[in-house]
Amino acid sequence: MTTISVLINARTKSSRLPRKLVLPFAGSTLIDIALDKLNRMDFLDHRYFAVAEDELKERVSGYRNVELLERDPEAVQPGYNDHRKVFAHYERCDSEYIMWLNACHPLLSLDTLKRAADHVRETRHNSYTSVIPTTDWIFDSDGNPVTNTQASMLSSAHSRTFYKVAHGFHIINKAFFLKDYQYWTLTRNDPALVEIPVDESYDVNDRMEFEVAEAAYLRSIQA
């Protein structure tokens, strides 16, 4: 039987928008919206909230289905830090697969997340990531075309479709990850792509994205 846990890693020390998880957002906060979602994900084996700061630990008390994973304070410092320290708590996740859920994706639905979990159970690839389709024209840093390579193609609406990582969730094989602290091999189907609805793909990193996502979220709950 395939077992899958879901995990939210959270900290208040975000750099582009400080304390974005606990700022007022649509009558709530990003972290409380995420915890409510986590609390209702009864189609997974464990629901973990991984934090080091007391301010965030206190949030979990209102969500009886969520298990607290305490982290080393050094693991939540800003910057790109040692993976073995940042992700040490993954060893305590009791499942074969771990779904990392991004708390900054407030519109990601339970139906989408359940479909992703069902897909893992059916296919059992090494890893998965959420994506959205794009026909954008993208160039590398030297100015070489990466997506549209046909000079005769003058409309992005008719260009070839590619898939862009949405960062809504990744799903990884725990044993593979703990070998070298890498999610995947970046070969075909590792990660396997899980397409999510574009209108659920709002990701909050800065102030403008925060305000756009808040407006979209309010519209979604009023519909």
Side-chain angles (χ1 to χ4, degrees):
M1 178 180 174
T2 302
T3 56
I4 311 170
S5 295
V6 57
L7 169 74
I8 289 177
N9 295 322
R11 63 181 186 180
T12 62
K13 298 176 181 178
S14 49
S15 55
R16 284 173 285 185
L17 180 57
R19 296 179 56 78
K20 63 183 176 180
L21 289 180
V22 295
L23 293 175
F25 180 95
S28 183
T29 64
L30 287 172
I31 197 60
D32 283 301
I33 291 168
L35 280 168
D36 179 66
K37 193 179 304 176
L38 190 67
N39 193 54
R40 293 184 288 140
M41 292 176 69
D42 58 2
F43 46 87
L44 296 179
D45 295 273
H46 293 275
R47 288 161 267 183
Y48 296 113
F49 186 48
V51 294
E53 298 155 285
D54 290 339
E55 178 182 2
L56 293 175
K57 291 177 188 177
E58 293 168 0
R59 299 264 176 170
V60 79
S61 62
Y63 303 95
R64 62 184 181 86
N65 298 315
V66 177
E67 302 173 53
L68 178 66
L69 280 183
E70 296 201 29
R71 301 172 69 184
D72 185 328
E74 290 297 315
V76 299
Q77 296 303 310
Y80 194 74
N81 300 314
D82 179 13
H83 288 177
R84 293 181 184 276
K85 182 175 290 289
V86 172
F87 301 109
H89 58 291
Y90 280 40
E91 296 187 22
R92 290 179 277 143
C93 294
D94 186 17
S95 59
E96 182 180 3
Y97 287 91
I98 301 170
M99 173 189 280
W100 166 79
L101 179 61
N102 189 348
C104 297
H105 269 250
L107 282 94
L108 198 56
S109 71
L110 286 174
D111 286 344
T112 295
L113 294 167
K114 185 178 186 305
R115 284 196 299 272
D118 290 344
H119 183 57
V120 173
R121 294 186 178 104
E122 291 166 4
T123 57
R124 292 184 54 82
H125 291 301
N126 186 55
S127 66
Y128 304 77
T129 191
S130 55
V131 297
I132 54 174
T134 181
T135 56
D136 287 350
W137 297 350
I138 298 173
F139 295 78
D140 67 19
S141 59
D142 294 321
N144 299 306
V146 175
T147 53
N148 179 29
T149 57
Q150 296 179 318
S152 60
M153 176 55 67
L154 303 181
S155 169
S156 61
H158 298 89
S159 297
R160 179 183 172 190
T161 298
F162 289 82
Y163 290 89
K164 179 168 60 175
V165 173
H167 300 287
F169 58 82
H170 308 310
I171 305 172
I172 61 171
N173 180 286
K174 174 185 169 181
F176 176 86
F177 177 71
L178 291 177
K179 287 179 185 177
D180 298 303
Y181 287 81
Q182 296 179 356
Y183 282 163
W184 38 55
T185 60
L186 288 180
T187 55
R188 182 177 175 83
N189 283 326
D190 190 16
L193 307 183
V194 181
E195 186 174 346
I196 67 172
V198 173
D199 61 3
E200 295 184 14
S201 68
Y202 291 87
D203 187 9
V204 176
N205 291 299
D206 56 31
R207 172 57 68 177
M208 180 177 290
E209 290 174 346
F210 186 95
E211 293 175 358
V212 170
E214 184 177 34
Y217 182 80
L218 284 169
R219 182 174 179 177
S220 74
I221 62 177
Q222 292 165 0

